[in-house]
Amino acid sequence: MKLEFYKNTHLVIASLGSLFLLGLEFPYWFLSMISVVFIWRYFGEKKVILLPSAWITNSLALILFVAVLAGYKTLFDRDSSSLFFSCLCALKILEYKNRRDHLFIVLLLMLLISSKFLFSIDIWILPVTLWLIYHLWLSLISCHSEKSTLPSASKIYFLKIALLSLPLTIALYFMFPRLNSYLLNSNLSSRGSAVTGFGNEIRPGSISQLAQSQELIFRAEIIKSVYIDRQQLYWRGLVLRSTDGFRWYQGPPAKDITLVQNSPEFVDYKMTVEPNQQKWLFPLDRPLQMTSSLPLLRTRDGLYQTSVSIDHRTSFRAQSNLSLTLRPEDEKNYLKIPIQSPRILKLIEALKGKSLAREKIVQNIKNYFVDQNFLYTLSAGEMNEHSLDDFLFKAKKGYCEHFSSSFAILARAAGVPARVVIGYQGGEFNSIGNFYTVRAQDAHAWNEYVNDRGDWVPIDLVDVVAPVRTALGTAEFLKLPENLRGLIMKRNSSDESFLFVAYDYLSTYMDSLNFYWTQWLLDFNLDRQSELFESLPAASPVFLILFIIFIFIGFKIRFYWTHRNNWPQYFYKQLLNWANKRHLAKKPSEGPSNFVQRLQEKWPANSDDFGVIVQNYVNFTFADIPLSLRDLKNIRESLRRIESITNSDTYQ
Amino acid sequence: MESAWRNRFFERSKSRFKDLIPIQKNNKVYIIPTVFGVFFSCILLVMLYAAFASGNNFLYLYTFFLTSLGVSSLWLTHINLSKIRIDHFEVEEVFAENQALALVHVYNSSSKIRHYIEVFNSPQKSFVIPEIAPHSFYQIHIDLGTYKRGVHALPALRLNTTFPFFLLKSWKTHRPEGDFIVFPKREGSSKLPFLKIEHETSKNQTLKLIKNSNLDFFGHRRFDPSDSIRQVDWKAYARTNKILVKEYQGNDPQEIKLDWQMTSKIQDFESRLSQLALWIEIAESKGFFYSLSLPKMSCPISRGRHHYLNCLKSLALFKKDPAIEA
């Protein structure tokens, strides 16, 4: 049976859709190759150009194999294997001749669609996948015919099958035992994807680079909390203790002591972190505990990190207490600074004054930044090794890393232990889904200093020089003209067009839908499954009995409904079946009466019973005499008596 | 009381069991995965591994949905065939070493339309029924292959379906009761034994004979290579575009007495029967009266379809007897 590719519209849609869906994840040449293949195939079938022979496609496959292997150095991770299989599928489309090719392509496409989920589990993939499955499986039905036509009502037929398959899908989904997959140490997630977010250190300009990226870092759904303002949302990542004057880094480990307090400012939330190939987590300052399906580590200074880098979307549950008290074990670790220029030393002396109170010194530093009209901006200009001097006395403008870095150095020089904390600040609140979306542009650096009681106190100089920044978020803040950035003002929403508002609303809505979907997918792990099974036994006996009763009643109703208008025919058919089993089937030449006569002769004792069934059947079918309830009862009893004729009676 | 009840229970179940087996035998539907189905399961396993290894619930969902579609197709492929049966199976008139064609009625006793059912005796010569409406039958001709002369049991027919997704193949076997007769092949000299002249002349003779006699036009029949080209009714050809030959019926048609001994010059037993079969064919097609006498068997002189079939049947059933040979 010779088949033509473009005659089977469903296969064309399914293959084009799947390859383009996956092509979004691959290098650009792949999409061009797919386009060439589909155009070549089209004109090949129109006999305008020749389709490649088997040896050309085989050699192309070999070339692609070598190219992919050379590019990715392996064929066993997500990117390289799915790229290679996509190329194979495209080449197979060029070769498409018969049903075997069709089935092979369908198998490859099923595999390729599945590999898309390793790249993304966003909700928009769901309708696209369903649409592709629909066409893929319809192509199988149409492949039965040489002309690739679908039998009548096939689309409804397939939708019915899909509906029929849903209960089993759901049952399997919830019942299939989940295991902690990190044990496998698989290659399914690629090592090649870009590292996002922070490194382990900051230098001037490193955060302002991040601020220009819209990339999603994580979403956090607040489950239980006191009222928190966006200005209070500091997502704590790394603590940087050491500096060489130019860059800040973690340095040797140091310990913080946590003083547990019974504070009402307790926040319970869930974080869904995007794959970023890093181990650091960003819980809300200050974290109490975090749990996840991945094994987690808590460092000595109260930070969290995973034992493996996050290479797929992962969800974490965390609790934070905003007013938790931390205390350094040894303050000396936070006082080291490189030798500073005389000008800085002079400034420090001035800031220190005569006071020895740490709060007073910090207040002086804050005042200095406000008085000198420091500007918070993304374009801080080039900074060199003497960046602190430049920043403090010349440029007087910079991004959060400049402010936090200079604060820590000034404070340390004045004898106040201080450090730099990097993480994210704020996030975009989704009012429909009640969650915050934190993007790379929300990256932030702030400080902590030790007060006179010996506790760590967070301080954000940006909040001092540009209070609008923390109130509005980076994206909105940077839209403001530079001269207004120092003032507190509200965004004026009246000049926004309807289209903008609608788009804003829709994107918020879609984002929250996507968030819940991914949450739902990510949340169902081994623990949740165990919880589900533990909750089952209590409900199961009642549920099972109800289910059985429901099924039983359903079948009964269906039975009575089917036969409501043809009881005599139903009983006659039962009689025919009964006779069949006793090798006395009605012969084609016999009418109902002759047939029954034969039975009556064999079992004279039940003669009347046979008569009742046939008489009613004949009356109902040929004379249109309706059946009364009494007759119905009679027939039923007759049939029951006939059915109780045992085998021993048969051979009398 | 209890034991009586128990006896009755076992008696009934036993008898039911005994009764059910022969009825179900012909109608049993078997189902196995196709090669595609096996590969499909392998791919499901691969996806399951990937879902497990990456802890990807979306992938689990997708894999389980495909699995469920596969499981549903198990049932669908089964019911596509379960209520299909062969109602009528008859082998048409067939000569040895010719293709035996069977007329088959495939009946759909279900209330749903059924699709793509393959009927065959040998897989190379299958016939695919695209769809059968509910409670109706589909008439097909199945090529059964070639047979030797004699009586043969009706072959088993296989009903196959891979509908809807090619994942599984379900089949049932129809084992009909009864047999069919294969006539000897028609072969040898087409010269009828009653005329001593050459073949071509014999035809002219026949024509002349027809023209001179007061035979009445009886009807047309298809042209046979053994007919003279002059017998063709060209006017009828112009009308119908079919090559037809006139047939006559009259008072003095030819009579031929075919006898086993007439073929004594031929050594081979089957060839002798083939020669007689050919003569019967020619005699019948020309509307002659003919009789056939075989050792221990004879057909009195007559003509017509019934007589023709009787003669051929005698030849088909004729067995080699050493005594006769001698």
Side-chain angles (χ1 to χ4, degrees), chain A residues 350-477:
Chain A
L351 291 174
K352 220 167 140 184
K354 288 169 189 169
S355 166
L356 283 173
R358 286 173 177 173
E359 267 94 354
K360 181 72 186 148
I361 296 170
V362 169
Q363 190 55 47
N364 287 345
I365 298 174
K366 271 159 92 174
N367 291 342
Y368 174 75
F369 279 95
V370 176
D371 296 343
Q372 297 289 316
N373 286 327
F374 272 77
L375 192 66
Y376 176 71
T377 175
L378 263 180
S379 46
E382 284 292 305
M383 296 270 176
N384 54 24
E385 296 260 343
H386 308 289
S387 57
L388 192 61
D389 279 61
D390 290 347
F391 174 66
L392 285 175
F393 307 114
K394 238 197 233 160
K396 293 192 179 176
K397 61 176 183 178
Y399 204 60
C400 52
E401 65 266 37
H402 303 96
F403 286 99
S404 58
S405 168
S406 44
F407 174 85
I409 290 175
L410 290 178
R412 282 186 181 192
V416 181
R419 61 187 181 185
V420 175
V421 184
I422 54 174
Y424 296 90
Q425 199 280 319
E428 191 185 333
F429 185 65
N430 187 313
S431 54
I432 296 166
N434 192 31
F435 63 88
Y436 285 92
T437 305
V438 177
R439 297 177 188 279
Q441 64 186 12
D442 297 313
H444 194 49
W446 63 96
N447 300 100
E448 284 176 339
Y449 71 93
V450 180
N451 64 9
D452 294 320
R453 287 200 303 276
D455 300 336
W456 282 116
V457 179
I459 176 170
D460 188 359
L461 265 193
V462 174
D463 205 18
V464 177
V465 294
V468 189
R469 190 270 179 214
T470 45
L472 286 184
T474 323
E476 290 299 320
F477 178 79

Side-chain angles (χ1 to χ4, degrees), chain A residues 280-321:
Chain A
W280 292 106
L281 294 170
F282 298 91
L284 196 60
D285 208 7
R286 305 197 156 156
L288 283 175
Q289 61 165 339
M290 275 190 105
T291 49
S292 163
S293 59
L294 291 180
L296 296 179
L297 302 173
R298 189 186 157 105
T299 59
R300 282 153 61 91
D301 47 358
L303 300 173
Y304 282 91
Q305 69 177 103
T306 55
S307 62
V308 288
S309 48
I310 300 169
D311 53 13
H312 58 270
R313 197 177 282 181
T314 317
S315 90
F316 300 89
R317 182 75 180 262
Q319 284 88 36
S320 293
N321 188 338

Side-chain angles (χ1 to χ4, degrees), chain B residues 250-291:
Chain B
N251 298 334
D252 55 349
Q254 297 291 304
E255 281 186 13
I256 308 158
K257 286 178 181 162
L258 298 169
D259 194 294
W260 177 248
Q261 292 308 322
M262 285 176 175
T263 57
S264 56
K265 282 180 190 166
I266 305 169
Q267 292 295 313
D268 181 45
F269 179 76
E270 287 298 326
S271 305
R272 288 177 79 174
L273 291 171
S274 298
Q275 178 63 77
L276 284 171
L278 181 68
W279 284 340
I280 289 169
E281 175 82 17
I282 295 170
E284 176 64 24
S285 67
K286 293 190 189 299
F288 298 157
F289 279 89
Y290 55 95
S291 67

